[in-house]
Amino acid sequence: MTATNGLRLLPWSSPEGKPCFLSTHSDSSRLSRRADEIEDLQLSMGAELLGHADALLNERKVDVREVRFLAERLCEALRDALRVAESRGSRLPTHDDDGGADKTGEGAERAPAAPQIPLSAP
């Protein structure tokens, strides 16, 4: 599911669940900007969910249904984060054989970095 030939992996799927790609020569196109906004939203929602997970797992009495619901939401958030990482990683500049940076198919400008998510030990 990697982006090839200058195609950008979008943060949403088709109704059939297949990956969607965007072919553009500009990171500032309307659809590229919208995809960046959705990726940022997905990452911030994942960070917020992680905070809820920490709080829930620190509770003494947690219902199995609550833990299952949490696990399902964490899986969704991880799936989104991996898709964002794949999309952004495929747009990073690569180095040619001469050691110089080559632009990817979409240009050198990258989307903003993902928010830092603190990890705590159990």
Side-chain angles (χ1 to χ4, degrees), residues 7-85:
L7 297 177
R8 176 186 176 163
L9 177 63
L10 293 172
W12 55 81
S13 300
S14 72
E16 298 81 29
K18 295 183 180 182
C20 293
F21 293 91
L22 173 64
S23 176
T24 183
H25 297 293
S26 171
D27 285 335
S28 61
S29 73
R30 186 175 180 187
L31 195 52
S32 282
R33 289 191 319 267
R34 183 65 179 144
D36 288 341
E37 291 169 1
I38 291 173
E39 286 178 349
D40 290 341
L41 178 63
Q42 288 172 326
L43 293 175
S44 66
M45 288 172 61
E48 188 175 332
L49 178 62
L50 188 56
H52 291 299
D54 283 338
L56 182 71
L57 294 174
N58 286 327
E59 291 291 321
R60 287 197 167 280
K61 292 184 178 182
V62 179
D63 187 277
V64 173
R65 292 174 296 183
E66 291 175 301
V67 174
R68 181 174 178 78
F69 182 79
L70 172 64
E72 289 170 353
R73 300 299 75 79
L74 287 170
C75 286
E76 291 170 1
L78 179 57
R79 202 173 293 116
D80 288 344
L82 290 173
R83 185 181 196 105
V84 170

